[in-house]
Amino acid sequence: MRLLDGPMQACQRLIGAGRMPYVFLVPNFVVFGLFVFLPIAINIVFSVTGGPALFPSERPYVGAGQYAYLFDCGSYLDPNSCREDHFWRGVANTAKFVLFQVSAMVLFSLVTALVLNMKIRGRGFFRAVYFFPVLLSPVVVALIWKWILQRDGLLNAAITTLGGQKVLFFIDPSWAMFWAVFVSVWAHMGFYTLILLAGLQAIPADLYEAAEMDATPRWRVFRRITLPLLWPNMIVVIVLALIKGVQTFDEVFVLTGGGPGTATLMVVQYIYETAFANQVQNFGLAAAASVVLGLVLFLLTLAQLALARRKES
């Protein structure tokens, strides 16, 4: 560290002590701009250009043509009436997935945090067990559950051993979506449980002692003390789970491949296939879809934060 004292003091004398924080922030701004803002700008350029060329200078300007193609629908509630029906099927599946996944994630994370906050035997062990899936790669998680749920997997082996018939979990669209939600909740619940557990431990114990002295019912303690004081953490969990749910790709893609048919096709998978996996690669259309997805995420985050401020006030 002494080797840096001289250059830092010289820099401070040159630009002044008030500007020194910017010296430490500049490297972060450079990295952030290079790997975040620059890709966003390139993506927007691709969304208003067409053609199969990869370099932006070789792509003709088409304006809002890509967006017009995406939103050319007779009815947005009926993907079959849209020119790009796969995009709208992805939108519908993503909305359904987010509705069930975020609801289940918040509910089970809250219940788990409440249980792990109690004085139970082996509490540290169970906290580690619930958090362990978060440490696994999403691809590893999906492969594990795929081996369990596939036609000749572990679950069907147990069912046939007990005298039952094999269940084709990934053939029925409803079952495929159910397992996609289940695996996602199982994989990420520990992270959100940790956030809520931290919020529960920050609530002063005096409040619970006072409520116990007044013989307040548990459900009222939860409603009047726990839930209001835990609300900021709940907002964080909801916002993070919502963003993660909308961006879901790797787990569902490895688990079901978007099938059966397009029953579990998500928006991010549509973007990936349109840009890279299809025989005819359409970078402009994929970029336009990703810009739309980014705007939706931004608006949803603003709405959630606005609701949080209104609740606090």
Side-chain angles (χ1 to χ4, degrees), residues 158-188:
I159 292 174
T160 53
T161 301
L162 297 174
Q165 298 293 326
K166 290 184 177 180
V167 180
L168 304 180
F169 294 105
F170 297 137
I171 299 299
D172 183 84
S174 299
W175 272 111
M177 180 61 74
F178 167 81
W179 285 113
V181 172
F182 174 85
V183 170
S184 179
V185 172
W186 181 87
H188 302 289

Side-chain angles (χ1 to χ4, degrees), residues 15-241:
I15 66 174
R19 297 188 179 93
M20 280 300 294
Y22 296 102
V23 174
F24 298 98
L25 290 175
V26 164
N28 296 282
F29 284 139
V30 171
V31 173
F32 198 78
L34 184 62
F35 293 102
V36 177
F37 289 121
L38 182 59
I40 290 175
I42 294 174
N43 192 66
I44 293 174
V45 170
F46 268 80
S47 71
V48 295
T49 56
L54 181 61
F55 295 101
S57 59
E58 300 175 1
R59 298 175 57 83
Y61 178 75
V62 297
Q66 307 284 11
Y67 298 96
Y69 183 80
L70 281 179
F71 286 91
D72 187 4
C73 285
S75 171
Y76 294 117
L77 299 178
D78 181 15
N80 292 324
S81 67
C82 302
R83 292 183 64 186
E84 191 60 20
D85 60 313
H86 272 56
F87 172 74
W88 290 101
R89 292 182 193 279
V91 170
N93 291 335
T94 302
K96 185 189 301 183
F97 178 86
V98 168
L99 175 64
F100 291 109
Q101 192 253 15
V102 173
S103 301
M105 187 78 75
V106 173
L107 176 61
F108 287 111
S109 297
L110 178 60
V111 172
T112 306
L114 290 172
V115 173
L116 294 179
N117 195 46
M118 298 178 180
K119 295 180 180 180
I120 59 176
R121 182 176 298 178
R123 182 171 59 176
F125 170 76
F126 288 110
R127 288 178 180 177
V129 167
Y130 275 99
F131 189 75
F132 178 74
V134 180
L135 304 178
L136 299 176
S137 165
V139 175
V140 172
V141 170
L143 286 174
I144 291 173
W145 281 101
K146 189 173 184 178
W147 292 333
I148 294 173
L149 299 171
Q150 63 187 356
R151 178 186 178 89
D152 298 320
L154 295 178
L155 186 54
N156 272 324
I159 292 174
T160 53
T161 301
L162 297 174
Q165 298 293 326
K166 290 184 177 180
V167 180
L168 304 180
F169 294 105
F170 297 137
I171 299 299
D172 183 84
S174 299
W175 272 111
M177 180 61 74
F178 167 81
W179 285 113
V181 172
F182 174 85
V183 170
S184 179
V185 172
W186 181 87
H188 302 289
M189 187 181 71
F191 173 72
Y192 302 106
T193 298
L194 192 65
I195 295 175
L196 295 178
L197 186 60
L200 288 172
Q201 293 179 344
I203 299 176
D206 297 345
L207 299 177
Y208 293 110
E209 293 175 359
E212 185 178 356
M213 293 177 61
D214 293 337
T216 307
R218 289 188 176 183
W219 65 269
R220 184 171 294 178
V221 171
F222 174 76
R223 181 183 176 185
R224 297 295 180 87
I225 297 177
T226 304
L227 198 57
L229 295 178
L230 193 61
W231 184 248
N233 297 72
M234 290 284 290
I235 291 296
V236 172
V237 168
I238 293 172
V239 171
L240 293 179

